[in-house]
Amino acid sequence: MEQNSLAFKQKLQAFEARIARGEKIEPGDWMPEEYRSQLIRMISQHAHSEIVGMLPEGAWITRAPNLRRKMVLLSKVQDEAGHGQYLYHAAETLGATREEMLDALLSGKAKYASVFNYPALTWADNAVIGWLVDGAAIKNQTMLAQCSFGPYSRAMVRICAEEGFHMKQGKEMCIRYSQGTARQREMLQDAINRWWWPTLMMFGLPDEKSTNSEVLLRWGVKTKSNDELRQEFVDEMVPEIQALDIVLPDPDLYFDEDSGNWIYGAIDWDEFWRVVRGNGPCNKERLAARRAAHENGLWVREAVAAYAARQKGTQ
Ligand code: 3HC
């Protein structure tokens, strides 16, 4: 349909009125192509982030300090796999195929959260990933639960419930580390030093640099801007981290009485783009792991396809 045509303009007006009324747009409803393509981009990359996000912590399952921690970490990593499935399904309702999305990830074309291209060096990293990274994910995903696209919004409600457990188990471990030996306190401080800034990058580019936010906000995919969410996260986390006598790796951080905000220092967006463009500490390792998993899973996909074909044949 010609974007300049009267018919398109009328449909767009009705679409935007539905969003203004707080209605959910469902897969079979009329939607502008840009709404569809933005959602496929965002949801598929969210799904990739969940699946790649399993890797830093997954490497520690066999090295958990005790059975309880092993069971909790196993459960968390399995949750992330499930989140990836919900989100790939949500993207499929818009016409994307699983093969296209996985090809985009495995070929390096698609993005996923840059935070997962950093190594989890000690068990304290698992504590900090749970508290900070999953905490940032909850901040973002709680907003996305209000998203105008029905399947994404509903997936977020389920995912946020599980992320709540992820954050709490990480926070509990951070508190235990902070009350531990000098060595354990050092491990916690070192992990916060390494994960704080990549976590702030999870909220996206600064509003004035964001290439996607305007249309996402206009059509109710996002209801808050990247910087708004980032500031809310910083305001909540700084006092809690400082309460553990941990020093944030930001010498420019200060509390602004007028705004009531913790003003943070400059984020290194050069580092962000270096990592997003494939040159982070673990990018190659992460994609190699996903490619190996995909190859190792070929026999399962072939068996399922053969079974489906036989079932079809007998119908
Ligand atoms: N990592 C990698 N790429 C990023 C990024 C990040 N942290 N932040 C932004 N980018 C990319 C964007 O994808 C975009 O590239 P593209 O147009 O080729 O896709 C480009 O940088 C410009 O960024 P914008 O800020 O304009 O992009 P958005 O407005 O889409 O904001 C976002 C980025 C905040 C990630 C947004 O897409 C979003 O909210 N996505 C859904 C949530 C999500 O994907 N979260 C990832 C973490 S999932 C997770 O943490 C799992 C949990 O269990 C731990």
Side-chain angles (χ1 to χ4, degrees), residues 78-294:
Q78 282 173 331
D79 282 351
E80 311 297 10
H83 298 174
Q85 298 310 319
Y86 295 146
L87 291 164
Y88 283 130
H89 280 306
E92 285 166 342
T93 68
L94 289 158
T97 68
R98 188 67 62 100
E99 293 72 19
E100 283 163 352
M101 292 187 275
L102 292 182
D103 285 349
L105 172 66
L106 300 176
S107 64
K109 262 205 307 279
K111 294 182 174 74
Y112 56 86
S114 60
V115 68
F116 296 123
N117 285 312
Y118 293 83
L121 298 178
T122 74
W123 185 261
D125 286 55
N126 290 311
V128 170
I129 289 171
W131 193 18
L132 266 55
V133 175
D134 287 72
I138 292 177
K139 175 58 71 182
N140 175 292
Q141 291 167 169
T142 304
M143 171 199 64
L144 291 171
Q146 311 305 319
C147 170
S148 58
F149 182 58
Y152 199 20
S153 153
R154 292 187 289 271
M156 286 300 104
V157 172
R158 172 72 187 268
I159 287 177
C160 283
E162 293 173 341
E163 293 291 0
F165 145 66
H166 298 172
M167 181 177 177
K168 287 188 188 87
Q169 62 88 37
K171 183 175 178 179
E172 182 208 24
M173 284 197 279
C174 287
I175 293 170
R176 294 284 305 273
Y177 267 101
S178 73
Q179 297 165 343
T181 63
R183 173 78 188 106
Q184 286 167 332
R185 294 183 45 69
E186 254 170 57
M187 288 168 70
L188 177 61
Q189 179 66 66
D190 169 54
I192 296 262
N193 290 347
R194 287 182 285 106
W195 290 93
W196 175 250
W197 291 109
T199 300
L200 295 195
M201 296 172 186
M202 287 174 66
F203 293 98
L205 292 188
D207 293 351
E208 70 280 2
K209 293 255 193 288
S210 171
T211 44
N212 298 294
S213 288
E214 189 278 323
V215 68
L216 296 173
L217 287 163
R218 176 163 24 107
W219 285 338
V221 175
K222 289 181 169 181
T223 48
K224 287 183 181 173
S225 77
N226 296 353
D227 285 333
E228 267 180 285
L229 283 180
R230 195 177 356 253
Q231 187 62 65
E232 281 182 19
F233 177 76
V234 169
D235 288 347
E236 285 168 21
M237 292 304 292
V238 167
E240 293 206 22
I241 293 170
Q242 290 180 338
L244 304 184
D245 287 334
I246 292 291
V247 176
L248 281 148
D250 179 359
D252 300 323
L253 179 72
Y254 70 92
F255 185 71
D256 176 55
E257 295 290 346
D258 296 342
S259 64
N261 291 141
W262 281 92
I263 309 303
Y264 49 89
I267 295 175
D268 182 349
W269 293 108
D270 291 339
E271 175 183 340
F272 168 81
W273 283 116
R274 225 181 5 262
V275 176
V276 168
R277 288 181 180 135
N279 304 308
C282 297
N283 292 59
K284 292 175 182 50
E285 180 188 329
R286 299 290 184 240
L287 279 190
R290 289 311 316 151
R291 288 182 187 125
H294 193 68

Side-chain angles (χ1 to χ4, degrees), residues 33-51:
E33 264 323 294
E34 188 181 8
Y35 183 80
R36 182 188 305 276
S37 58
Q38 269 290 349
L39 281 166
I40 289 174
R41 171 194 71 87
M42 195 168 156
I43 299 173
S44 61
Q45 292 183 158
H46 194 164
H48 299 332
S49 303
E50 300 280 0
I51 299 298

